[in-house]
Amino acid sequence: MAIECLVLGAGQEVGKSCVVVTINGKRIMFDCGMHMGYVDHRRYPDFSLISKSGDFDNALSCVIITHFHLDHIGALPYFTEVCGYNGPIYMTYPTKALAPLMLDDYRKVMVGRGEEQQFTNENILNCLKKVTAIDIKQTVQVDKDLQIRAYYAGHVLGAAMIYASVGDAAMVYTGDYNMTPDRHLGAAQIDRLHLDLVITESTYGKTIRDSKYAREREFLKAVHTCVANGGKVLIPTFALGRAQELCILLDDYWERMNLKVPIYFSSGLTIQANLYYKVLISWTSQKVKDTYATRNAFNFKNVQSFERSLIHAPGPCVLFATPGMLSGGFSLEVFKHWAPCESNLITLPGYCVAGTVGHKLSDKTTKVDVDKDTQIDVRCKIHRLSFSPHTDEKGIMDLVKFLSPKNVILVHGEIKNMVNLKGRMESELGIQCYYPSNNETVSFPTTHFVKADASAAFIRSTLTPNFKFLKDEAAEMAPVQVLDERVTQGILTMEKGQKVKILHQDELLATVGTEQAEI
Amino acid sequence: MEQHLLSNFEQILTNPTKSSLKPFSIARSLILNPSTTDQTISSVIQTLSTNPQFHLHHVITLLSEIPILRPHFSATIIAVLRSLSLTRPDIPPRAAALALSTLLSLPPPPDSDLVPSFSEMTEAVFLSLCFGSCVPVRHRLLLEAEKFDVRPSILLTVFLGFSKDPYPYVRKAALDGLIGLRDRIVVEDRGMIEGCYLRGVELLSDAEEGVRCSAVHMVSEWGKLLVANSDDKSKMDLSDALFVQLCSVVRDMSMNVRVGAFNALGKAEMASQYLLMQTLSKKVLEENKFLGEISGKHLGSRALSAAGAFLHGLEDEFYEVRSSACYSLRMLAILSSDLAEKVLGLLMDVLNDDSAVVRLRALETMHHIAVSGHLKVQEMHMHMFLGTLVDMNSSIRLTSRNVLRLIKFDNLPMFKLAADSIIHSLETYPQDEPDVLSVIFEIGRNHGSFAVSIADETFSQMEPFSASNWDFNSSRTAAMLTLAISARLSHDIQQRLYIIPPTIFSYAVTMLGRLSNGLTEVMDRNTLLSYLSHCSSSTEPHHIEAEDDLATDFNCHILVSHVADPLELHDKEYNDVKLVLANIAEIWKPLTKFGCTSELLMALRCWKEELKTRITDSHHSSSVLTFTLEYIVVVKLLSKARWHVMRPLDFVYNKAGDVGYILRKLEKKIRELRYRFIGLTKEEELHIEELRLVACTLRLSNFDPHFHESALKKLLIYKETSAEHSRFVAELMKTLEKDESDTFRFREPLNLFSLKQLDLSRNLRHMRAEVEIQDNDWLNPVPFVAGLPVGIPLKLKLHNTPLEAKLWVSMSRSKGVIHYVFINLKEFGGCDEMREFRFIAPFYKTPKVNSFTLVLGIGMECMCYEEVPCFRRHGPSHELVYLCKEKQVFLSSVRK
């Protein structure tokens, strides 16, 4: 009996998360993401490793998607509609609701860039028809042996950590998670479980962030100073997640400071997404849940929608534009216009994928090649956002310590982070840790319980407490201990041709047929 | 119907073939029906107890219900339940447990000889049920373990054992039991304590939330016990270990566990500085800095567990946790100013929290820091902090203002910012006006120079001509005026000399009502008015005189009394006093002559009552008034004593004791009149001396064996110095010269005595002392070790005591043995009018008892009196007058 873990994506890198785990013969695919940095075959996981013949329905018991980010769900329509997987797919309700928005937006961006279209809108809709939605802490019996359960992960709306168990073996796949709550989402929350394996993300495996209050204060100060001096603030974000978080933060601040500078949302997508947020209140943070009866936190008072003509309008403003990391689309367009002006401010997310403009800006260069023909002279101020929906090193360690599994596999992070985490986990927690690269397989044995009959006397004895007193001055443990010895006193007997049986110690003598002998 | 049901019930129950629940439901309906007769109930009990073979559980349930509804059946039920032997294996455990708890809940029967065997029985039943296989019973018994008479030593073992039970509810109950047990018994075996503590630590990682919650509580309690029971060397290490254990659970996934952890952290008693610093940073701090402080063995792992514990708490999703974390930060903040500064930085960010509960808690913690003297507000904090002054929530505003009272501002811009913010908050929330004004007054007094410059800036723009533009209804004006007043009364003496145009004070008079509302705690309306009018009337640039009026003392009350008492009495009061004194002199002679003592006493009493109504505030009653009241008492006593001595001889009545008491009291009162008032004129002194002579003479004529003529002669020598003698004194001298031994020879001079009118001057000052024994009552005694001296901390306030006064603290445990301690006034500051200081009075002869009380008083030597010849070696050489009421001090011996 063993667990086998095949990492198809996000092994020692960030992007195209996809891990196929075989537990006691059941194969589960966790996440089915795509890589934003590539446009060739490397953008999808190598599905052929699952089944040479392409018969995925028999090769996989189910596919589970943790959340709606493209690097976790982007390859799903391709896998189901192009590769032909027809088996069960599980994701949480918000993920199911928001996934088509994300996928379709991405498809449009691809088309806009003149790339080959990988899947159509119809493909997306068909794909989502095969999805079964699950709720937090709902246990789903996928088949006779396989059980899965979702836990709250924080990260984005509807993000989940997945617990899966087959027989006696159990594991948790965390997906992306956040151990500290932010304004609109709560912190990850899970039970103490007996686990053989935890597969965790390690995006910030070498960073320890201090209080979020300081980060919020700095961001607000930067934005406030900029608009107070008449500058324009560009905040490139993904439509879902950080956009709402920052917007709640700014909206609160505007209210408190009584500011009148307009805040814009660039696309209809974000406004549509806000609608979903308003409906899916039960997936948000405790604060939003507590106050929503009086006022829905996603009813932003100061937010308006943006029109293209406003790019050149005079006066200060704050603009949320998609996509984040300035990888193209509207945010890049606005960037081209606003970056050369000194009074403006661009905020960049903490992590930018290599190859994007956002990544290039990180290197403190003043001249940036936006595309083949254009070079932009960046004179505006740049504020690095350290709001991240990912947990930091301490959070990862805390979670692993809380769960105390037998093994840990690190995915979704850079190798240097993984090395650091592996070192800490093995030395501090004594937990075996692995970080396989893409297309590599790790396997290890699992817990296996043997069923045995129990004699009546043994059952009786286990029901009745049986105290034992220890007094051991030498031991490092407590000098005085009172233990309940009842369970440890059985004796396992294996007779030929019969089932394994546990007897009470008194019975053994009778069975063996000897008197008690002192040795 | 009742009879029918009863017979039905009995019939079914006695029929052994059938086994159904029907008879029990019938019985229950009979029991529950309030109109069922007692007779029926008795027969039901009878039937139930004779047929216990079926459904014993139901039988016991029914029996237990009876005494709840019908208490008079308790005795019967107890007898029935006891007759069942509960340890029998065939009794279902639930039934046995129910019977046991019913037995314990009922009042014990009067025949108390049964009790010992009974409690032994309970213990046996309790243990056998606990160790039985029925889990719910085990759980229930553990929960209610306190009720059963089980020896604590056994209970402790039982709890400890069951903390490893496979059933989480049993584990939780066992842990809760251990927590409860810690309060009730004293465990001295260190091994046992450590065993319990480590079991708790083990259960911190239990799979069940409820168990972890209890474990946190239990670890905190038993950990403290363990620390207290260890030697000094390992104390620090153990308390660090405890602190780290608690820190390690603040990242638990369950909200309740986290709240419990922070509550426990708030109660932690000590931890090393390094760990505390670490709890405020998620990054592991540099170890080198602290290596000297603690042993390196656990350093790394401990730092990791403690890292950022409080940060996590403050950014928690649940407001319960955040508020609990704010609370627990207090413990850190009072330890050192370094920590306090870091904590303050964090708390300032918390003020941005969306939950009012958390914001309030953060402010309360800040207040706590301020009280402990570690509050250093920086400029970057001001914006956040001052924001809370205009919070929607009134209690947050109040707490925020209370913090503001204690803040020390380093520079003018910060002070100005604060003043502007609080005035802004006053404009937004006018309902807070009284409190806001009092805050402005206080911060103004504490920062005199800043207040002056702001007031100056504001009022310099205000020309006399444009004053009409001023809105004298606005809160802003009220606030600015308060600031100006406070600047004038600043603690900083330099600032008081600063000139603020008197016109400002005259404007302030127009807002008297509003201002005095805010300053009620500091001064009353009249004081404020007289102060304002004083300040506004003097137009000269330097009011040296006025400045002298202001007390040099920090105490506001004193300041007030000086400004307010435009030296002592208003004329009306003085006239009243004069009138009373004249009346006394007028009626005394005729009334005593004709023996109308009771009429005289009545008149005196009436005057006394009338004068008493003049006393508005007992603390600041004027000295003249006090003197007059005392004088009336003296006249009363004199009249009484005279009547006793002078009436026709009647040996049955004339008991020396009666008069003796009055005479002693009279002498004491005269002494007080003579020595507790300073500023007496020569005439007044003579008047009192004469009264004293009268008292002595009365004593001599009353066969006092302890009193000799020689004493009186000594008095007369003093008397001779005065110019003219009254008829009484002349006659008395003559009598003494005759050298007779007739006790009636003094009657003649006494008959000649008449009370003269006393012309009282206004310049009297009453000496008095206020003694406060800090934190001492019968619940909080001063600890002492028998045979060793004990210091009694006193807070003394002396009014009108000249520097040369010889003051003694007298302490007596039993009558007669008085122990004196001298107070050298030269060692303490203050002026004659008012001295305030702390004094530790040593008491040497502590007896070998568990506790005792001392009677403590402050006495002053009467320097003019003759020396007491054989006075104690260490003690006053003259008679004492007491300046305050006697106080009781409670002392209790230190337990080993």
Side-chain angles (χ1 to χ4, degrees), chain B residues 696-707:
Chain B
C696 281
T697 322
L698 285 172
R699 214 163 163 182
L700 273 176
S701 56
N702 199 42
F703 325 107
D704 194 327
H706 304 295
F707 207 76

Side-chain angles (χ1 to χ4, degrees), chain B residues 710-747:
Chain B
S710 53
L712 192 60
K713 278 177 187 162
K714 264 188 192 168
L715 284 181
L716 279 171
I717 294 165
Y718 167 76
K719 191 75 184 173
E720 275 163 7
T721 54
S722 66
E724 54 180 291
H725 301 303
S726 66
R727 287 179 64 196
F728 160 69
V729 177
E731 189 61 33
L732 184 64
M733 284 165 90
K734 264 189 227 164
T735 318
L736 282 173
E737 276 162 18
K738 279 181 200 163
D739 204 24
E740 287 171 26
S741 60
D742 178 16
T743 42
F744 300 110
R745 66 201 150 106
F746 292 116
R747 288 210 165 197

Side-chain angles (χ1 to χ4, degrees), chain B residues 537-551:
Chain B
S537 59
S538 46
T539 44
E540 284 179 17
H542 296 284
H543 327 278
I544 305 300
E545 222 175 304
E547 298 317 323
D548 287 343
D549 272 1
L550 294 167

Side-chain angles (χ1 to χ4, degrees), chain A residues 145-421:
Chain A
D145 303 314
L146 175 61
Q147 265 190 357
I148 59 166
R149 195 183 310 145
Y151 286 101
Y152 193 78
H155 189 62
V156 287
L157 197 71
M161 303 199 253
I162 306 294
Y163 164 83
S165 73
V166 180
D168 306 318
M171 62 159 296
V172 162
Y173 176 84
T174 65
D176 293 353
Y177 61 100
N178 193 0
M179 291 289 280
T180 47
D182 50 31
R183 291 207 169 225
H184 79 298
L185 293 170
Q189 215 262 327
I190 195 164
D191 296 329
R192 208 177 268 273
L193 303 155
H194 292 283
L195 299 173
D196 294 294
L197 170 67
V198 166
I199 302 175
T200 172
E201 64 136 321
S202 51
T203 324
Y204 290 99
K206 220 179 171 177
T207 319
I208 297 182
R209 282 191 294 260
D210 258 330
S211 167
K212 67 170 181 179
Y213 289 114
R215 280 176 270 144
E216 286 182 0
R217 201 175 49 214
E218 276 164 32
F219 170 72
L220 290 174
K221 202 176 153 196
V223 173
H224 194 169
T225 335
C226 177
V227 293
N229 295 330
K232 292 179 161 65
V233 183
L234 171 66
I235 307 178
T237 55
F238 293 110
L240 296 162
R242 287 307 86 189
Q244 280 72 23
E245 173 70 15
L246 294 177
C247 206
I248 289 187
L249 187 60
L250 282 181
D251 201 52
D252 274 359
Y253 188 74
W254 252 234
E255 184 112 355
R256 214 170 47 231
M257 293 289 139
N258 207 8
L259 295 177
K260 297 287 176 235
V261 177
I263 301 177
Y264 295 113
F265 265 7
S266 73
S267 64
L269 175 59
T270 321
I271 288 161
Q272 198 178 348
N274 280 348
L275 276 178
Y276 282 99
Y277 272 88
K278 280 182 214 168
V279 175
L280 297 164
I281 288 293
S282 64
W283 293 77
T284 57
S285 74
Q286 198 60 38
K287 176 215 160 185
V288 179
K289 278 186 239 175
D290 288 344
T291 57
Y292 109 103
T294 47
R295 186 201 156 206
N296 196 320
F298 298 104
N299 275 331
F300 302 117
K301 281 184 189 158
N302 300 294
V303 175
Q304 307 153 25
S305 71
F306 193 70
E307 281 161 38
R308 201 164 285 270
S309 60
L310 289 170
I311 292 180
H312 297 294
C317 69
V318 178
L319 171 66
F320 285 89
T322 52
M325 305 186 197
L326 298 170
S327 53
F330 190 65
S331 63
L332 190 61
E333 193 185 330
V334 178
F335 172 75
K336 285 180 200 164
H337 291 109
W338 287 3
C341 177
E342 278 168 15
S343 62
N344 291 347
L345 173 76
I346 311 272
T347 65
L348 284 178
Y351 182 83
C352 288
V353 173
T356 59
V357 175
H359 190 258
K360 288 176 199 161
L361 275 175
S362 321
D363 305 335
K364 288 183 183 165
T365 46
T366 48
K367 297 210 186 300
V368 171
D369 300 312
V370 177
D371 49 45
K372 274 173 256 156
D373 320 314
T374 342
Q375 192 188 47
I376 299 281
D377 193 7
V378 182
R379 293 216 195 103
C380 66
K381 287 184 270 320
I382 289 172
H383 180 84
R384 203 141 265 293
L385 282 182
S386 40
F387 293 94
S388 172
H390 290 276
T391 184
D392 63 350
E393 180 185 353
K394 188 162 190 308
I396 298 169
M397 292 299 292
D398 284 339
L399 181 80
V400 172
K401 188 178 168 195
F402 183 78
L403 291 174
S404 302
K406 294 196 180 68
N407 301 284
V408 172
I409 289 180
L410 301 173
V411 293
H412 201 282
E414 287 170 24
I415 186 155
K416 62 173 198 291
N417 298 340
M418 294 180 167
V419 173
N420 174 46
L421 275 178

